[in-house]
Amino acid sequence: NWCSELGLLYTAGSVHNIKVHDCGHEAYIGHLDTKSYTSAILTSKSDENLVVAACSDDHKVRMFDIRYNLNTSSNAFEVAIKFGGQQSQTRMINLTQCNSNRNHYYICSTQELQVLDIRTHGILTKIPFKKYINTFDSHQHAPIYALGSIKQLVRICSSLQLSDAHDASTINDIQYHDGFLGARIGPVRLVKFHPYKLLLAVGSTTKHLTLYSSNTKTN
């Protein structure tokens, strides 16, 4: 994860810490102890970008303040995440800060999407997904997010209507290409919103990259 405001680069993987690099001086400056392998890193968009959140393979979300947690063994704020299915078959794939409320975080796994409120240390809602979730992204400014499945489905939802019933927040499902007798889309590997416009890019295993717009005449 790249924090351009502070000039810091956070890297993690199959180690029990997040390494912090100062890109301005091209130097390693320290680490954050995660106690487990890290699946996703996120730099908070508030608090002067000093808060770092991380999803780990032990199904916990940990939050660090680099002013106090860097190169120390002090305990970070952490929340254990429980999933509806078998824990051993659940993989954390994304951690994203909600654009409409900076105290809320999307925690996406292969089975469901959860919304964490860091003020109450609890989960606000759990949104199950019947098909295997492979990728997730939320728009930086619009209150929408997208889920992509290897089972040839993209679901676009509203973050203003978060509910345990996934149909309540669903705006649109994309399963077929446009046109008369449009072909089924391929297994989805990546979804990504444009940072400002209402454009969604969808990449699939069929070597296609499709752009979807809020304008119904073009995609």
Side-chain angles (χ1 to χ4, degrees), residues 93-94 96 106 108 113 133-138 145-148 191:
I93 60 174
N94 197 292
T96 307
Y106 296 120
C108 188
L113 176 70
I133 302 175
N134 196 52
T135 179
F136 169 87
D137 192 36
S138 65
Y145 61 88
L147 297 164
V191 294

Side-chain angles (χ1 to χ4, degrees), residues 64-82:
F64 305 89
D65 188 323
I66 62 173
R67 294 169 295 183
Y68 307 111
N69 297 121
L70 194 65
N71 295 325
T72 67
S73 58
S74 59
N75 293 328
F77 163 75
E78 64 179 45
V79 177
I81 308 300
K82 295 182 179 180

Side-chain angles (χ1 to χ4, degrees), residues 150-213:
I150 202 74
K151 308 248 182 214
Q152 300 170 280
L153 172 66
V154 176
R155 175 160 291 166
I156 302 173
C157 303
S158 169
S159 59
L160 298 178
Q161 300 176 350
L162 292 174
S163 170
D164 291 347
H166 61 84
D167 293 336
S169 60
T170 300
I171 297 175
N172 191 18
D173 282 345
I174 301 173
Q175 293 180 285
Y176 299 92
H177 292 292
D178 282 351
F180 180 68
L181 297 178
R184 187 76 181 267
I185 65 173
V188 179
R189 298 292 298 175
L190 180 69
V191 294
K192 191 69 177 178
F193 281 107
H194 188 281
Y196 301 105
K197 299 179 181 180
L198 286 178
L199 292 172
L200 176 67
V202 178
S204 69
T205 58
T206 57
K207 300 181 182 179
H208 285 82
L209 177 64
T210 309
L211 296 178
Y212 294 92
S213 169

Side-chain angles (χ1 to χ4, degrees), residues 24-62:
H25 296 86
E26 299 183 1
Y28 164 76
I29 61 175
H31 68 275
L32 302 168
D33 186 13
T34 60
K35 304 177 184 177
S36 179
Y37 297 159
T38 303
S39 304
I41 311 173
L42 173 71
T43 305
S44 174
K45 299 181 180 66
S46 58
D47 301 318
E48 299 178 348
N49 299 96
L50 296 170
V51 176
V52 179
C55 271
S56 301
D57 286 350
D58 59 357
H59 296 162
K60 289 184 178 180
V61 174
R62 295 179 174 87

Side-chain angles (χ1 to χ4, degrees), residues 91-134:
R91 181 171 58 89
M92 309 284 274
I93 60 174
N94 197 292
L95 176 68
T96 307
Q97 192 172 18
C98 181
N99 64 344
S100 58
N101 190 329
R102 298 305 183 191
N103 294 309
H104 294 171
Y105 286 79
Y106 296 120
I107 306 165
C108 188
S109 72
T110 52
Q111 295 182 351
E112 62 189 8
L113 176 70
Q114 301 190 16
V115 182
L116 167 68
D117 189 335
I118 62 173
R119 295 168 300 180
T120 61
H121 301 188
I123 300 297
L124 289 178
T125 185
K126 297 181 180 182
I127 304 173
F129 200 58
K130 294 181 180 179
K131 297 192 176 184
Y132 185 92
I133 302 175
N134 196 52

